[in-house]
Amino acid sequence: MELRGMELMGRRNGQRGKPPPGIREASVATPAGTQAPDRAAARPPVPDRAAARPQSPDRAPTGTQAVDRAARLVTEVVHAPDSVTFTELAAATGLAKSTTSRLLDALERGGLVRRDDDGRFRPGDVFVRYAWRGGAEAGLIEVARPFLDRLGAQTGETVNLGVARDHLVEQIAQVDSKYLIGGTNWVGRPVPLHCAALGKVLLAYGAAALPPGRLEARTSRTLTSRAALEENLRQVRRCGYAITDEELEPGLVAVAAPVFRDGAVVVGALSVSAPASRLTPARIPAVAAQCAAQALALSEALGHRPLPEPENEHDPAPGPRAART
């Protein structure tokens, strides 16, 4: 009776109790005993146009798909016995040409592939620097070839890449001169360090050491005094390149510049040689500048980054610099 009286009193005062949990109150405009329809549920679904649109095989890859495609391109370039063309890569991977172009551009920016002067693709600087961590020399010729070719095209003269071997300099790669005179093949022919431009560079930057005993006089102009040679090597370090003027062979003039790997370690030298009638004193500065520029570009491909110019100009620290003209 007491509970019944309280219920009636609540109705008279216009109060209603809260609905039990889980029951949604009807809208004021909804007739008693009915529930407003769920308009969101009743609305017909809008078709997903992006999902319904057919996927074009040429659309930009995303996520792991892009990584997989890029990895296939890198693998083809690295495993190829020689440089490969864009068309060969697209055919080998089965990718659309626009996709191949887009991915190769990204790989080139990241240093994973590089293009040579003919537009063909080779392994990029990242792979070159990794291979050179162990000091491997076997790949030096392959890496250097585009730079030798470019220097040969610029000068028209004989271009050589040399390394130190048993107190001598050995030329391991060559681009022949376009002239009949001066077309000697120097590859595999070791020559003394002190009278070759390549050898002077290796001596100046600590990549080679003179043998004990007297220095051989190959011509009347060969430097046979160790004191005179040391002064000449200081000049090599100041200029960033070496010159030999008929010191190895009468009538032969050469210039050479250092090739660095990562850090400040010289691993070889790049040279241009020609008869004295063509490589005249007036022409030497320009040819030396071209040689130094290509040697520096090759050094950067091997992971070297030039150091800032030293403040002490009397005997600056070794490092490839543009030749002074």
Side-chain angles (χ1 to χ4, degrees):
M1 289 293 293
E2 185 176 351
L3 290 175
R4 179 67 174 174
M6 292 177 64
E7 184 180 355
L8 291 173
M9 186 179 297
R11 288 179 180 176
R12 292 192 187 99
N13 294 333
Q15 297 176 351
R16 292 190 302 169
K18 292 184 180 179
I23 302 298
R24 185 165 49 188
E25 285 190 322
S27 172
V28 175
T30 303
T34 65
Q35 183 176 349
D38 189 343
R39 295 183 180 180
R43 185 183 300 119
V46 178
D48 187 350
R49 296 181 181 179
R53 185 183 300 119
Q55 295 293 321
S56 169
D58 193 36
R59 294 185 68 192
T62 57
T64 57
Q65 185 184 42
V67 174
D68 289 341
R69 291 178 176 180
R72 286 161 59 192
L73 287 169
V74 171
T75 301
E76 289 292 334
V77 172
V78 172
H79 288 175
D82 199 357
S83 58
V84 291
T85 66
F86 171 85
T87 303
E88 290 169 341
L89 286 172
T93 58
L95 297 174
K97 289 186 176 181
S98 58
T99 300
T100 303
S101 176
R102 187 164 51 244
L103 292 175
L104 286 173
D105 286 344
L107 292 171
E108 189 174 14
R109 289 194 299 272
L112 293 170
V113 300
R114 61 186 175 93
R115 302 176 208 244
D116 58 23
D117 290 344
D118 297 324
R120 300 172 68 91
F121 290 89
R122 298 174 180 271
D125 295 349
V126 170
F127 291 100
V128 172
R129 292 166 192 168
Y130 181 79
W132 272 84
R133 281 182 177 179
E137 190 180 283
L140 178 58
I141 297 175
E142 174 65 19
V143 178
R145 178 58 61 184
F147 303 95
L148 271 69
D149 291 340
R150 196 173 298 126
L151 185 57
Q154 289 173 349
T155 63
E157 305 294 355
T158 302
V159 175
N160 283 100
L161 176 66
V163 295
R165 286 274 194 279
D166 300 324
H167 299 294
L168 297 167
V169 57
E170 182 177 334
Q171 286 145 110
I172 60 176
Q174 176 169 312
V175 172
D176 293 333
S177 168
K178 68 178 184 180
Y179 303 99
L180 293 177
I181 299 176
T184 303
N185 183 8
W186 293 94
V187 175
R189 295 179 58 181
V191 296
L193 291 162
H194 66 286
C195 54
L198 291 167
K200 286 185 179 182
V201 166
L202 297 173
L203 289 170
Y205 291 91
L210 286 170
R214 298 182 62 182
L215 301 178
E216 179 187 2
R218 297 293 292 261
T219 74
S220 61
R221 307 187 71 166
T222 303
L223 296 177
T224 57
S225 163
R226 290 179 181 260
L229 178 62
E230 183 55 42
E231 176 57 34
N232 188 265
L233 298 181
R234 280 194 286 270
Q235 178 66 23
V236 171
R237 290 190 291 271
R238 281 193 291 269
C239 295
Y241 62 86
I243 303 172
T244 50
D245 187 359
E246 301 188 70
E247 298 170 44
L248 176 63
E249 186 176 282
L252 180 65
V253 179
V255 297
V259 175
F260 289 75
R261 58 171 293 182
D262 54 312
V265 180
V266 170
V267 294
L270 202 58
S271 73
V272 178
S273 60
S277 59
R278 288 203 304 269
L279 196 49
T280 60
R283 190 186 175 207
I284 284 176
V287 173
Q290 292 171 320
C291 184
Q294 292 304 320
L296 178 57
L298 172 56
S299 300
E300 290 175 345
L302 296 175
H304 175 70
R305 292 294 176 266
L307 298 174
E309 290 286 343
E311 295 181 1
N312 182 7
E313 286 296 327
H314 295 292
D315 195 3
R321 297 189 296 168
R324 293 177 181 173
T325 59

